Amino acid sequence: MKYSGWPDQGELVVGKVDEITDFGVFVDLEEYEDKRGLAHISEVASGWIKNVRDHVREGQTVVAKVLDVDEGSQQIDLSIKDVNEHQRKEKIQEWKNEQKADNWMAIAFGEDVSDERYESVANALLAEFESLYDAFESAAIHGTEALDEVDLDDDDVATVVETARENVSVPYVNVTGYVDLECPTGDGVDHIKAALQAAEGNGEVSDEIELSVSYVGSPEYRIQVQAPDYKTAESALEASAERARESISAAGGTGRYHRERETDDE
């Protein structure tokens, strides 16, 4: 997705060197629709420049700082020399991330998605997240809960989450489920405690998984799992609930697993 407006003064932009002249470098801005900027020779590199081509080449991707924007004359003044190496690497990574997010949008809603449809979904996500990449990454980690405040219908939320979990590489994911435990026997409380210990794995859960069980409201308990990927997290969550169900059933009680919270108050 390219922005249709203009960059702000002081903003860092990614561009491709389109033309090199004796007085400077013309740069096509990759993030903005039909926008081209000029880095004067004095803004290409520090010190005296004998030949601009010693510092940049046509087709090269550069990061530049926006010095001035004159919408009336359609002119954008840029500086390449004012961008340090750390800023350059950070901006390039941010740009690459947004390219990935643009591709994920195409996967989610189709290569032939209309501009209006794309913008509608993108704007809803950007209203809550700093970037589309952040939105997809959060959806991959936290699932539908990450998009609770986003103004999208349930089908669109499900589509974004499914696409994120199939395509986004994240350091870990969080999943949450719930189990209802009831035991009518006189020592039912002890049996429920045993079932909760079983749910937590009795110390036998893999080191790559963090699993916790907490009380929500009788008879509901929350199971939270953090794992390296969604498949592992889901598997651990279901296994935890099943351990609790088996434990309470063996004691004459009942257990029921569900993904959404059902009690009103914690």
Side-chain angles (χ1 to χ4, degrees), residues 5-210:
W6 293 80
D8 296 323
Q9 184 177 347
E11 180 180 342
L12 296 183
V13 293
V14 177
K16 185 167 289 187
V17 175
D18 175 59
E19 182 182 354
I20 299 175
T21 69
D22 291 338
F23 58 84
V25 177
F26 286 97
V27 178
D28 282 334
L29 304 190
E30 295 286 344
E31 300 160 291
Y32 290 86
E33 239 174 32
D34 303 320
K35 297 296 186 294
R36 191 185 196 212
L38 170 66
H40 186 267
I41 186 172
S42 62
E43 295 296 337
V44 173
S46 299
W48 182 74
I49 297 177
K50 180 179 181 181
N51 188 337
V52 181
R53 294 181 183 275
D54 290 338
H55 302 275
V56 292
R57 65 182 185 280
E58 290 180 353
Q60 179 182 349
T61 297
V62 297
V63 176
K65 182 179 181 180
V66 177
L67 298 179
D68 189 47
V69 176
D70 187 335
E71 296 183 28
S73 61
Q74 302 280 299
Q75 183 172 327
I76 302 172
D77 295 329
L78 304 172
S79 175
I80 297 173
K81 74 174 185 180
D82 282 355
V83 180
N84 62 42
E85 185 63 16
H86 173 74
Q87 291 173 317
R88 189 191 71 79
K89 288 183 178 179
E90 192 172 66
K91 181 61 184 179
I92 287 292
Q93 187 58 57
E94 177 187 311
W95 173 60
K96 288 181 177 179
N97 286 346
E98 287 310 291
Q99 288 183 308
K100 291 179 182 179
D102 192 51
N103 182 52
W104 296 333
M105 286 286 286
I107 293 172
F109 299 100
E111 294 284 352
D112 56 349
V113 61
S114 68
D115 291 342
E116 293 77 11
R117 171 81 166 128
Y118 185 109
E119 289 178 9
S120 175
V121 175
N123 287 337
L125 293 170
L126 291 172
E128 299 296 332
F129 297 91
E130 290 189 5
S131 67
L132 290 180
Y133 183 88
D134 289 341
F136 275 91
E137 184 177 58
S138 187
I141 295 172
H142 302 292
T144 57
E145 292 179 7
L147 307 182
D148 279 348
E149 302 300 319
V150 177
D151 186 19
L152 292 175
D153 62 36
D154 290 346
D155 288 342
D156 284 345
V157 168
T159 297
V160 170
V161 171
E162 180 182 358
T163 302
R165 285 182 161 167
E166 289 179 355
N167 294 277
V168 181
S169 297
V170 294
Y172 63 87
V173 297
N174 292 316
V175 294
T176 301
Y178 300 85
V179 62
D180 294 347
L181 301 174
E182 296 180 276
C183 188
T185 63
D187 52 356
V189 172
D190 292 333
H191 292 309
I192 288 176
K193 288 181 178 179
L196 295 176
Q197 289 178 343
E200 291 179 337
N202 293 315
E204 296 180 4
V205 175
S206 170
D207 290 339
E208 69 176 358
I209 296 170
E210 290 187 18

